[in-house]
Amino acid sequence: HSSRLACGPAVHGRAVPFGELQQGVWSAQERPRDASKVLDATVARLRRVLGPGVLGTLPDGFVLHTSPDHVDLLLCESLVRGADEARRGGDLAEARTLLSDALALWSEGAVLAGVPGPAARSARTRLARLRLDLHRKLAETDLDLGEAERASEDLGRLVAAHPFREDLRRLHVLALRLQGRTEEALAAYEEYEMAGGQDPELLALGRELRGEAADGTPQLPPLATEEPAYDPLAAPDELPDGVYPAWDPSGDGPSAASSEPVESGPAHHG
């Protein structure tokens, strides 16, 4: 019944009609003839697992009742909001603590691994982007705190695993540059350039790095970066605009921008 639970985080606190739940669990080709009976049996098992009063039945569907403190995804979002407020107020240390706490909620392994159905596929994409967005915010905070070395270590691993994320690539190049590691920063940029990357900010950064490598005089830019042009929570089924990457990050060969990254996600506490 994991595929039924996959619908939960997206619809916490609101009624989910039977038809919508069926569409989330099965594609049109996969839906069994007795879909309603299968759902009824699954709901009965879920109630035994979740306890009384958590999963309610309505005339035309179901509703999930639980405290945000018992759903790591909701707690994660609350911590991120707190970190954003702390950052706006100039308390970078508090912002970093809250972002670290949010990332600590995420478990090892792929989120919803092996769970079938359209809802699970959408949740995997959404949660992977949410986690990467948390890493981006943490890296930006580290750079503003003057912790370029710490940021570059984390970003190096992230860029290797997610080369299509231009925001992480830019922060990695910048973190190396701030440490005076111009040759490494230029190498990281040129890897992006050779893959066909066309982000204007990264291209401008590459030109500056080449100038610095030629005359040995760093010209460091301000650390502030713009937020991505997409919202990983509001648009879970869309990738950021752009032609990069030139390869499928899953390793299955060339791909359009519809590749679906799979990341570990926050565990739910019953």
Side-chain angles (χ1 to χ4, degrees):
H1 51 255
S2 295
S3 56
R4 284 71 167 175
L5 279 172
C7 299
V11 295
H12 168 74
R14 77 168 177 86
V16 184
F18 296 125
E20 181 179 332
L21 188 56
Q22 289 184 17
Q23 291 173 2
V25 174
W26 300 291
S27 67
Q29 295 76 21
E30 298 167 336
R31 189 175 305 162
R33 293 182 178 178
D34 57 347
S36 297
K37 292 182 179 178
V38 174
L39 282 180
D40 288 342
T42 299
V43 167
R45 292 196 296 272
L46 283 174
R47 283 204 174 100
R48 289 194 293 270
V49 172
L50 297 174
V54 177
L55 189 61
T57 301
L58 302 173
D60 61 346
F62 302 99
V63 62
L64 181 66
H65 300 292
T66 186
S67 167
D69 292 339
H70 294 154
V71 180
D72 281 354
L73 178 59
L74 301 179
L75 179 57
C76 176
E77 292 171 345
S78 176
L79 289 168
V80 172
R81 287 192 297 271
D84 290 342
E85 291 176 5
R87 187 179 179 89
R88 285 192 295 268
D91 193 344
L92 295 177
E94 175 67 8
R96 191 188 194 283
T97 297
L98 293 172
L99 289 171
S100 296
D101 290 346
L103 280 167
L105 295 171
W106 295 73
S107 61
E108 297 296 328
V111 61
L112 299 176
V115 179
R121 286 194 293 271
S122 178
R124 276 193 291 269
T125 301
R126 176 175 181 257
L127 292 173
R129 289 176 185 153
L130 173 58
R131 187 178 191 183
L132 289 177
D133 195 52
L134 287 177
H135 280 292
R136 175 186 58 78
K137 288 175 179 286
L138 185 63
E140 289 174 342
T141 303
D142 276 339
L143 290 178
D144 284 341
L145 285 168
E147 297 287 349
E149 183 176 358
R150 180 167 61 189
S152 67
E153 291 177 1
D154 294 340
L155 288 164
R157 291 189 292 269
L158 289 165
V159 168
H162 306 280
F164 57 95
R165 285 290 297 241
E166 292 172 317
D167 52 351
L168 298 179
R169 173 81 63 171
R170 180 185 179 279
L171 290 171
H172 183 222
V173 172
L174 182 57
L176 293 170
R177 185 189 192 188
L178 287 170
Q179 297 173 73
R181 297 159 64 180
T182 304
E183 291 185 2
E184 293 175 66
L186 185 56
Y189 164 76
E190 288 177 341
E191 179 184 43
Y192 167 80
E193 184 181 54
M194 287 188 292
Q198 299 178 17
D199 177 72
E201 282 190 275
L202 271 164
L203 294 178
L205 184 55
R207 288 193 294 270
E208 293 173 4
L209 285 169
R210 289 197 172 105
E212 292 172 13
D215 61 26
T217 305
Q219 300 175 355
L220 300 181
L223 296 182
T225 58
E226 294 183 0
E227 292 288 318
Y230 63 96
D231 182 347
L233 297 180
D237 297 322
E238 297 179 5
L239 287 172
D241 292 336
V243 299
Y244 190 76
W247 65 89
D248 180 354
S250 67
D252 295 329
S255 171
S258 61
S259 60
E260 178 185 314
V262 176
E263 261 288 3
S264 54
H268 295 267
H269 301 305

